[in-house]
């Protein structure tokens, strides 16, 4: 090693040397930046330093520029990885970002001194800290700048627009060190609270907005062990990440009573290696940016790559280590007269700069083989690939069409944000033109509830208050005396700034209260099982001992009757006896519980044929949560007694027709098309709206457990697990009887001699407007039966609830048809089924207590090597599962929402293969030109024209410049680029 002792670089103030706090070398290796107590940032020529030993006489290395824009001591300086910016932090609480002006001419310094040869100007002034800025660091792709300081704050800035993206408050004391993962997945912060904290982040695109990056940062873990007794006397805790991404070197650690440098392993974040050799606390450590080989490449057999690290601190000694040797390669004692404050390596790994508080910057250069033999940069990239490193460079648009597509995408995104803001402010809603909106409207319950016209002859019944746990996050809008609108702020707890994949606290409280613990198959429960299945309701949740009605698909509510002390107050029926069990159940593979026999079973529909919220037998003035039937409501009632069962249809208290059945009735259902009563002996009786029998008695194999109807479709599930679906209008079955054994996982259970094993139970079942059966189980899984594939399909499961970032994000915008006048609007097909199933999965995962276990498994996967893309892969797979489920159910609006969300995610992740495949599938055959007629099966998907969807996809993701080469050909073929400029 050659020490260039005469070539000191000094910061001076008034002729005296002042403390130097930070040094850093530019990525091209041509410049060295330094900052110190003189409040100046100085830029030096490294070439002058390296060539100084060849000169005949000692000369001071050439200073390229001096910047005096700070009003306090400069504590840290850092070049960006793209070699464009230089950032500095000071005790004046400000971060300054400089950019070189290559067009300006340098001028002599006033008052003498060395002339300036470069011009650097302040590009941005970042104010956000409340105390000294101790350290800065850029991400590997320069897309993010992070600053830390004595105010205990960690602030994340955009590397392009330099707007503040997030402030992280996880430390309890001064934050004095910072290091970025070269694989661009994490960054670490070191603090005087004796911890090192790891933060996960996703590198944003160069043109992403702050809203796009809101969820890019999350807290990962805390490391405490090596720092429990670390001293608080150090001014810095500068840490470093190894170039292969495998380790973090953290300064100011201790090993018993001895100062050390802790080497933290990536993934499990444990520290089993300590570098011991310094007599005082270590304030700074820095890995060399290149990897080394102990043997000379091409001459001797290759050896495993090693990394080299330099350490310095209060003992005024410099030590250099590598990973192949337990002892230091070199220790230089008393290399300075005061504490070493910072260390910087040259990009080639052959030179080392370090600063000290005695005002000097020193350089040490190494000969070939001193530290090992430098390996090419490809070795760094190969080592980082196993951690999922895929750096996204800042690309430029390739032409005017690319720029136009990007502008159209941003304009579409801006309009979407404006429309959401307008919906929040309720501008013009319900025809009020900005006045005070009507309360308790269907819109307040979420767009998945299908709007229906109100009854013409009677005012709508008063809506009961929802349980606090199920209320959506809505803001209260008030009008002042001056006529100004005021929106009350909404507090949403996010658990430390990171959205958890587990359900929120409201659902946890609801689950703890016992809601949903009773299922439809509980003999003590008499839920109305005949409610419509499109826009499915949430589970009933008791509040203060009273049963709350649950919202139906039309924004109204379905009354639910339960046993208990409250049954007299709400008019609930008495139980007569348990139902008689069919002999077929004794030899069946499946045995489902049968509802008890009740004194009367009712079904109430309003004038539109939809389920009504009104409960028979309850007066309008009662304190119950619902009123009695309106004059336009139609009540279908089956009254069981020891005599024949009496069936009655009445309106406004007047009987329209009466009929009698020989057997007691267990379940009833009906709508404006037909009525159906299911008896204890397994027979089903179907009537027209005015009481005429439409079919002969349908005889099933066992007692009915679930009965549901929608449109002309009737579904029945019997106690031995056989499901039927009929089209009453055509008097045909949609498919043969289907067993629920695969859904209940009977292949994994077996029949014991003394009885059956316990399996998952059916929580709810129904049929949608397309005649598709949908089943929800107590384990949270949701299924539908595909009559085309003749098999059950799983739509939701607990895995997505804990692994996907899109769980419980069920906001669906209504289609254009839903925005038409109600008289002309077409009902949305299968609206709300997927969100309803996901809410059921959420509730059941919490009730079963398996959510924490699954989340622990996911967190363990995220911290292991090879699982770096786990969360992204699961989230993308969940969106793909949602789209497939929407197609299977014919959920038109939901499919479009999920498709656009999926397109945005794969574009943000730069999944070029999936983006191209999606565009190709939506484009369809190229021989069908725009506007020509083709095969409907090829032209449409889930009721949408494929090419119309492709246009919206291209507009949504056109801002991603890395993908524009793929998107532009499709945009030109669809004529998007010829759109009028008004769209911009």
């Amino acid at each position: 090693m050659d020490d260039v002792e005469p070539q000191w670089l000094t910061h001076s103030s008034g002729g005296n040397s002042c403390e130097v706090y930070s040094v850093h070398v530019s990525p091209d290796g041509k410049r060295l930046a330094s900052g110190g107590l003189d409040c100046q940032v100085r830029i030096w020529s490294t070439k002058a330093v390296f060539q100084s030993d060849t000169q005949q006489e000692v000369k001071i290395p050439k200073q390229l520029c001096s910047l005096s824009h700070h009003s306090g001591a400069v504590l840290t300086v850092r070049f960006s990885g793209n070699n464009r910016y230089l950032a500095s932090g000071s005790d004046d609480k400000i971060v300054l970002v400089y950019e070189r002006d290559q067009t300006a001419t340098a001028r002599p310094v006033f008052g003498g001194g060395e002339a300036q040869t470069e011009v650097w100007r302040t590009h941005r002034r970042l104010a956000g800290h409340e105390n000294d800025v101790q350290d800065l660091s850029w991400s590997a792709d320069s897309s993010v700048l992070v600053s830390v300081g004595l105010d205990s704050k960690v602030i994340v800035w955009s590397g392009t627009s330099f707007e503040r993206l997030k402030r992280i408050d996880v430390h309890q004391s001064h934050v004095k060190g910072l290091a970025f993962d070269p694989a661009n997945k994490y960054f670490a912060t070191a603090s005087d609270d004796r911890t090192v904290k790891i933060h996960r982040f996703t590198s944003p695109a160069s043109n992403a907005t702050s809203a796009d990056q809101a969820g890019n940062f999350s807290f990962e873990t805390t490391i405490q062990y090596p720092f429990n007794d670390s001293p608080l006397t150090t001014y810095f805790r500068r840490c470093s990440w190894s170039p292969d991404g495998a380790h973090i070197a953290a300064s100011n650690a201790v090993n018993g009573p001895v100062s050390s440098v802790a080497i933290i392993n990536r993934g499990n974040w444990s520290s089993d290696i300590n570098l011991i050799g310094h007599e005082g606390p270590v304030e700074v450590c820095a890995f060399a940016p290149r990897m080394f080989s102990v043997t000379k490449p091409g001459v001797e057999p290759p050896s495993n790559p090693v990394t080299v690290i330099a350490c310095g601190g209060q003992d005024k000694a410099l030590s250099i280590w590598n990973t192949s040797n337990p002892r230091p390669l070199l220790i230089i004692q008393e290399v300075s007269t005061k504490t070493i404050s910072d260390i910087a390596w040259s990009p080639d790994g052959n030179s080392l700069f370090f600063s000290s508080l005695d005002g000097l910057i020193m350089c040490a250069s190494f000969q070939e083989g001193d530290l090992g033999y430098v390996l090419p940069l490809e070795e760094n990239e190969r080592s980082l690939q196993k951690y999922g490193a895929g750096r996204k460079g800042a690309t430029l648009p390739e032409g005017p069409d690319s720029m136009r597509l990007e502008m159209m995408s941003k304009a579409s995104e801006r309009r979407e944000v404006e429309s959401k803001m307008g919906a929040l402010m309720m501008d013009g809603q319900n025809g009020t033109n900005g006045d005070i909106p009507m309360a308790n409207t269907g819109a307040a319950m979420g767009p998945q509830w299908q709007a229906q016209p109100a009854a013409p002859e009677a005012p709508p019944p008063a809506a009961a208050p929802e349980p606090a746990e199920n209320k959506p996050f809505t803001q209260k809008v008030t009008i002042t005396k001056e006529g100004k609108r005021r929106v009350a702020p909404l507090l949403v707890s996010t658990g430390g700034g990171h959205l958890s994949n587990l359900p929120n606290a409201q659902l946890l409280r609801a689950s703890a209260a016992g809601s949903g613990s009773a299922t439809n198959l509980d003999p003590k429960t008499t839920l109305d099982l005949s409610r419509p299945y499109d826009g499915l309701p949430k589970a009933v949740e008791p509040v203060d001992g009273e049963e709350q009605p649950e919202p139906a698909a039309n924004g109204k509510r379905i009354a639910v009757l339960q046993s208990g002390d409250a049954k007299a107050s709400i008019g609930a029926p008495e139980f007569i006896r348990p139902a008689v069990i069919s002999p077929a159940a004794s030899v069946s593979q499946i045995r489902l519980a049968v509802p008890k026999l009740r004194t009367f079973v009712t079904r109430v529909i309003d004038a539109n044929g939809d389920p009504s919220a009104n409960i028979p037998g309850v007066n309008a003035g009662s304190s119950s949560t619902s009123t009695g039937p309106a004059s336009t409501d139609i009540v279908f009632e089956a009254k069981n007694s020891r005599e024949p069962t009496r069936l009655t249809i009445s309106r406004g208290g007047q009987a329209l027709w009466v009929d009698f059945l020989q057997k007691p009735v267990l379940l009833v259902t009906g709508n404006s098309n037909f009525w159906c009563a299911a008896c204890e002996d397994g027979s089903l009786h179907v009537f027209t709206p005015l009481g005429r029998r439409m079919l002969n008695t349908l005889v099933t194999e066992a007692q009915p457990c679930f009965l549901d109807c929608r449109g002309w479709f009737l579904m029945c599930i019997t106690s031995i697990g056989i499901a039927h679906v009929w089209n009453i209008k055509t008097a045909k079955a949609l498919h043969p009887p289907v067993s629920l054994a695969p859904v209940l996982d009977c292949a994994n259970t077996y029949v014991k001699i003394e009885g059956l094993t316990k399996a998952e139970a059916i929580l709810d079942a129904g049929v949608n407007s397309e005649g598709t059966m949908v089943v929800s189980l107590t384990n949270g899984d949701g299924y539908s039966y595909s009559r085309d594939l003749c098999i059950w399909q799983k739509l939701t499961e607990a895995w997505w609830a804990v692994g996907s970032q899109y769980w419980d994000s069920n906001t669906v915008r209504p289609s254009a048809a839903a925005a038409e006048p109600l008289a002309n609007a077409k009902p949305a097909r299968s609206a709300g089924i997927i969100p309803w199933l996901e809410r059921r999965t959420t509730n059941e995962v919490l009730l079963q207590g398996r959510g924490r276990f699954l989340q622990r498994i996911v967190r363990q996967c995220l911290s292991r090597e090879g699982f770096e893309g786990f969360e992204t892969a699961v989230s993308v797979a969940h969106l793909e599962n949602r789209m497939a489920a929407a197609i299977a159910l014919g959920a038109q609006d939901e499919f479009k929402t999920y498709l656009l969300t999926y397109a945005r995610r794969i574009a943000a992740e730069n999944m070029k293969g999936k983006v191209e495949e999606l565009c190709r599938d939506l484009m369809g055959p190229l021989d069908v030109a725009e506007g020509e007629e083709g095969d409907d099966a090829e032209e449409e998907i889930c009721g949408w024209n494929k090419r119309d969807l492709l246009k919206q996809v291209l507009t949504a993701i056109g801002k991603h410049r890395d993908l524009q080469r793929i998107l532009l050909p499709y945009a030109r073929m669809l004529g998007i680029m010829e759109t009028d400029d008004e769209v911009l």
Side-chain angles (χ1 to χ4, degrees):
M1 186 193 77
D2 297 331
D3 290 327
V4 191
E5 292 188 5
Q7 306 308 318
W8 309 119
L9 308 181
T10 63
H11 278 242
S12 60
S13 178
N16 298 319
S17 296
C18 58
E19 298 177 352
V20 182
Y21 296 117
S22 181
V23 290
H24 197 248
V25 181
S26 63
D28 60 5
K30 297 180 179 180
R31 297 171 183 84
L32 172 72
S34 64
L37 188 61
D38 58 356
C39 308
Q40 294 194 16
V41 175
R42 300 178 186 269
I43 302 176
W44 315 82
S45 170
T46 57
K47 184 178 179 181
V49 176
F50 297 146
Q51 294 181 353
S52 60
D53 58 342
T54 62
Q55 299 173 0
Q56 297 296 327
E57 54 185 57
V58 176
K59 294 183 180 179
I60 298 177
K62 189 174 182 180
Q63 179 176 293
L64 302 179
C65 185
S66 177
L67 305 171
S68 56
H69 302 299
H70 280 291
S71 59
V74 180
L75 305 178
T76 176
V77 288
R78 295 291 182 262
F79 282 100
S80 62
N82 57 16
N83 205 36
R84 179 178 178 182
Y85 299 113
L86 169 65
S88 63
S90 169
D91 62 9
D92 62 3
K93 313 173 187 178
I94 300 298
V95 176
L96 293 181
V97 180
Y98 311 95
E99 185 177 17
R100 184 185 175 191
D101 188 350
Q102 301 185 11
T103 62
T105 303
R107 298 179 180 179
V109 179
F110 177 77
E114 189 171 0
Q116 306 281 341
T117 60
E118 292 183 353
V119 177
W120 289 72
R121 302 192 186 278
T122 302
H123 181 72
R124 287 289 188 275
R125 183 178 184 272
L126 310 180
H129 284 278
E130 300 171 1
N131 210 326
D132 300 6
V133 180
Q134 288 289 107
D135 208 356
L136 296 168
S137 186
W138 298 82
S139 61
D141 59 357
S142 302
S143 61
V144 169
L145 172 66
V146 177
S147 61
V148 298
L150 300 185
D151 57 358
S152 309
K153 302 295 188 296
V154 179
I155 300 183
V156 184
W157 313 88
S158 168
T160 52
S161 64
F162 294 102
E163 58 183 328
R164 189 172 73 176
L165 302 180
K166 191 169 187 178
R167 191 183 77 174
I168 304 173
D169 300 326
V170 293
H171 283 289
Q172 306 302 318
S173 186
H174 307 152
V175 187
K176 297 181 177 179
L178 176 64
F180 258 95
D181 170 22
N184 234 37
K185 303 296 180 183
Y186 301 97
F187 63 89
T189 54
S191 169
D192 275 351
D193 60 7
R194 294 188 170 102
T195 65
V196 170
K197 296 186 183 292
I198 309 298
H199 311 263
R200 177 185 291 270
F201 82 103
T202 301
S203 180
S206 59
N207 57 349
T209 63
S210 57
D212 298 334
Q213 306 173 48
N216 282 11
F217 306 92
S218 62
F219 174 70
E220 181 71 13
T221 189
T222 299
I223 305 168
Q224 291 181 322
Y225 162 67
F227 315 101
N228 291 336
D229 299 319
S230 63
L232 302 180
T233 59
T234 58
Y235 200 57
F236 298 104
R237 290 175 178 257
R238 303 196 194 273
C239 47
S240 179
W241 212 300
S242 63
D244 60 354
H247 303 96
I248 304 172
S251 60
N252 203 21
V254 292
N255 189 344
V258 182
S259 297
S260 68
V261 174
I263 304 299
I264 301 170
N265 301 318
R266 183 195 186 102
N268 58 12
W269 312 113
S270 62
S271 176
D272 50 9
I273 300 176
N274 287 275
L275 306 182
I276 302 174
H278 285 268
E279 298 177 358
V282 177
E283 296 209 5
V284 56
C285 50
F287 275 102
R290 301 286 285 273
M291 301 183 69
F292 294 81
S293 173
V294 178
T295 59
K296 191 171 184 178
V299 178
E300 303 178 37
S303 62
N304 293 330
V306 298
T307 55
V308 175
I309 181 174
C311 307
Q314 293 183 5
D315 60 354
K316 310 161 194 174
L318 177 70
S319 64
I320 298 178
W321 313 66
N322 72 10
T323 54
S324 66
N325 197 327
R327 296 181 178 276
L329 298 178
L330 175 69
I331 296 181
I332 308 177
Q333 299 287 352
E334 301 295 334
V335 70
S336 64
T337 59
K338 291 186 179 180
T339 300
I340 295 177
S341 58
D342 204 359
I343 298 174
W345 288 86
S346 62
D348 59 5
N350 288 324
S351 300
L352 177 68
F353 294 88
F354 55 97
S355 61
S356 69
L357 300 185
D358 58 9
L360 299 179
I361 303 170
M362 291 154 278
C363 174
S365 60
F366 304 94
Q367 296 179 354
E368 185 180 13
D370 285 348
L371 305 177
Y373 298 91
V374 179
L375 295 176
L377 284 173
E378 289 75 11
E379 184 65 30
N380 288 27
E381 296 174 359
R382 187 189 66 80
S383 300
L384 294 175
Q385 284 178 357
K386 62 184 177 182
Y387 301 118
R391 303 176 183 175
K392 303 176 183 179
T395 58
L396 298 176
E398 297 184 357
D401 286 347
S402 298
M403 199 64 188
R404 181 180 178 83
L405 181 62
E406 181 176 340
M407 294 174 62
M408 293 174 62
S409 176
K410 291 184 177 181
S412 174
E413 184 177 349
R414 184 174 61 252
R415 288 194 299 269
E416 183 177 355
V417 172
E418 290 173 354
S419 65
K420 289 181 180 179
M421 183 60 67
L424 176 64
M425 300 299 294
M426 302 181 183
D427 291 338
Q429 186 174 344
N430 300 321
T432 57
N433 296 325
D435 295 334
I436 301 177
M438 296 174 59
N440 299 325
T441 61
M445 304 177 67
Q448 64 267 30
W449 307 116
Q450 178 184 341
Q452 295 290 344
E457 299 181 10
E466 286 187 87
E469 290 81 0
N470 279 339
K471 286 186 178 180
F473 292 127
T474 56
Q475 291 177 291
K476 183 179 180 181
V477 181
T478 58
I479 304 298
T480 64
K481 295 180 179 181
E482 295 78 10
K484 297 182 180 179
R485 179 181 286 110
R486 293 289 183 264
V487 181
L490 178 64
L491 176 62
V492 181
S493 176
T494 58
H498 177 54
L499 292 176
S500 172
N501 290 331
L502 279 180
N504 54 32
Q506 288 82 357
L507 292 177
L508 279 168
R509 290 196 298 269
S511 301
S515 62
S517 58
T519 67
N520 292 348
L521 300 181
D522 190 342
K524 297 181 181 180
T525 306
T526 56
L527 292 176
D528 184 1
L529 306 178
S530 56
R531 57 181 176 272
Y533 209 71
D534 285 357
L536 290 169
K538 299 179 181 178
V540 179
E541 300 184 358
V543 177
D544 297 332
E546 297 182 359
E547 290 299 326
Q548 302 295 322
E550 55 186 21
N554 57 357
K556 299 182 180 180
R557 303 174 187 274
I558 300 175
V560 179
L561 308 179
Q562 283 198 341
S563 61
D565 297 336
K567 61 189 176 184
S569 63
I570 64 173
E574 296 284 349
F575 291 124
I576 299 178
R577 56 174 171 81
V580 177
I581 302 300
S582 171
S586 61
V587 295
S588 173
Q589 186 181 14
I590 303 174
R591 298 183 187 179
L592 303 181
V594 180
K596 284 185 177 181
L597 188 65
R598 293 166 283 174
T599 54
F600 61 86
V601 187
T602 59
R603 170 78 166 186
V604 183
I605 65 172
D606 58 19
N608 302 310
D610 299 311
S612 174
N614 303 321
I615 302 176
V618 179
N619 297 327
S622 173
S623 60
S624 178
T625 57
S626 61
T627 62
S631 60
T632 57
D633 288 346
I634 300 176
V635 181
F636 180 38
E637 179 183 89
K639 184 175 181 181
N640 295 313
S641 62
R642 296 181 180 179
E643 291 78 20
T645 298
R646 179 184 179 184
L647 300 180
T648 306
I649 290 184
S650 60
R651 176 188 292 168
Q654 296 182 354
L656 301 181
W657 64 268
V658 179
D659 201 349
F660 296 91
L661 297 178
Q662 181 181 359
K663 298 294 182 180
V665 173
L666 293 180
L667 302 171
V668 297
T669 188
N671 53 35
S672 58
N673 296 324
F674 63 89
W675 302 102
C676 179
C679 295
E680 188 180 25
D681 61 350
S683 60
L684 277 71
H685 305 266
V686 183
F687 305 89
T688 64
L690 294 181
R692 176 176 58 86
R693 290 180 177 265
M694 298 182 66
L695 300 171
N696 296 108
T697 301
L698 305 178
V699 181
T700 60
E701 57 281 346
Q703 291 86 356
C705 293
F706 293 89
L707 191 66
D708 191 23
C709 69
R710 184 69 177 175
W712 285 101
F713 298 105
L714 174 64
M715 183 212 72
C716 178
I717 297 179
T718 64
S719 62
I720 62 174
I722 301 297
H724 305 264
V725 178
W726 301 280
N727 187 327
I728 301 301
K729 185 176 183 180
T730 60
K732 293 182 179 180
L734 270 67
H735 47 72
V738 178
S739 173
L740 276 86
V743 169
L744 298 176
D745 203 17
C746 289
N748 295 331
T749 60
Y750 59 94
V751 180
K752 297 181 180 179
I753 298 178
E754 63 272 12
L756 294 174
T757 59
K758 183 179 179 181
E760 298 295 342
I762 301 175
L763 183 64
D764 207 348
V767 62
N768 73 344
S769 56
E770 301 296 315
T772 301
M773 281 190 297
V774 181
V775 176
S776 176
L777 302 185
T778 52
N779 63 356
D781 294 349
Y783 297 84
S784 69
Y785 184 78
S786 172
R787 57 178 180 268
D788 295 329
L789 298 175
C790 296
I791 199 169
W792 290 96
Q793 294 180 299
K794 184 182 289 188
L795 305 185
T796 63
E797 55 182 314
W799 174 250
W800 307 122
V802 298
S804 172
Q805 296 172 333
Y806 295 95
W807 190 261
D808 203 22
S809 58
N810 300 319
T811 302
V812 178
R813 290 193 165 197
S815 62
E820 298 175 359
L822 294 178
N824 302 323
K826 298 180 180 179
R829 298 188 301 167
S830 301
I833 296 182
I834 299 174
W836 179 84
L837 286 174
E838 290 194 356
R839 286 195 298 271
R840 280 296 174 92
T841 301
T842 295
N843 290 335
E844 293 308 312
V845 167
L846 291 174
L847 292 174
Q848 297 293 339
R850 297 184 304 131
R852 303 291 182 186
F853 172 72
L854 290 175
Q855 191 182 45
R856 186 164 59 251
I857 294 178
V858 170
R859 286 181 175 175
Q860 290 175 354
C861 290
L862 291 175
S863 62
R864 292 178 183 174
E865 181 179 338
F867 286 85
E868 286 72 19
F870 174 82
E871 196 167 18
T872 296
V874 173
S875 299
V876 171
H878 176 223
L879 291 176
E880 294 170 346
N881 182 77
R882 273 184 170 182
M883 291 192 297
I887 294 175
L889 297 173
Q892 188 174 8
D893 291 332
E894 291 168 359
F895 171 77
K896 179 180 177 181
T897 300
Y898 300 152
L899 173 66
L900 294 177
T901 304
Y902 173 73
R904 292 188 180 101
R905 181 57 186 263
I906 61 177
E909 296 293 339
N910 202 28
M911 298 181 179
K912 296 182 180 180
K914 288 193 174 184
V915 171
E916 187 171 8
E917 181 183 55
L918 178 64
C919 294
R920 184 171 60 248
D921 291 345
L922 293 178
M923 188 66 190
L926 296 178
D927 54 350
V928 180
E930 181 72 16
E932 294 184 3
E933 296 183 359
D935 187 2
D936 291 341
E938 295 290 337
E939 289 292 317
E940 289 190 355
I941 180 171
C942 203
W944 296 98
N945 183 278
K946 288 185 176 181
R947 296 191 176 182
D948 290 342
L949 290 177
L950 179 57
K951 291 179 181 179
Q952 298 186 44
V953 168
L954 294 176
T955 305
I957 65 177
K959 66 179 181 180
H960 296 276
R961 295 176 179 175
D962 292 338
L963 303 174
Q964 289 175 350
R965 185 172 296 180
I966 299 174
L967 304 178
L968 277 175
Y970 294 98
R972 294 191 182 102
M973 284 188 288
L974 295 177
I976 294 180
M977 310 311 300
E978 301 173 1
T979 308
D980 189 13
D981 290 340
E982 292 181 359
V983 300
L984 304 179

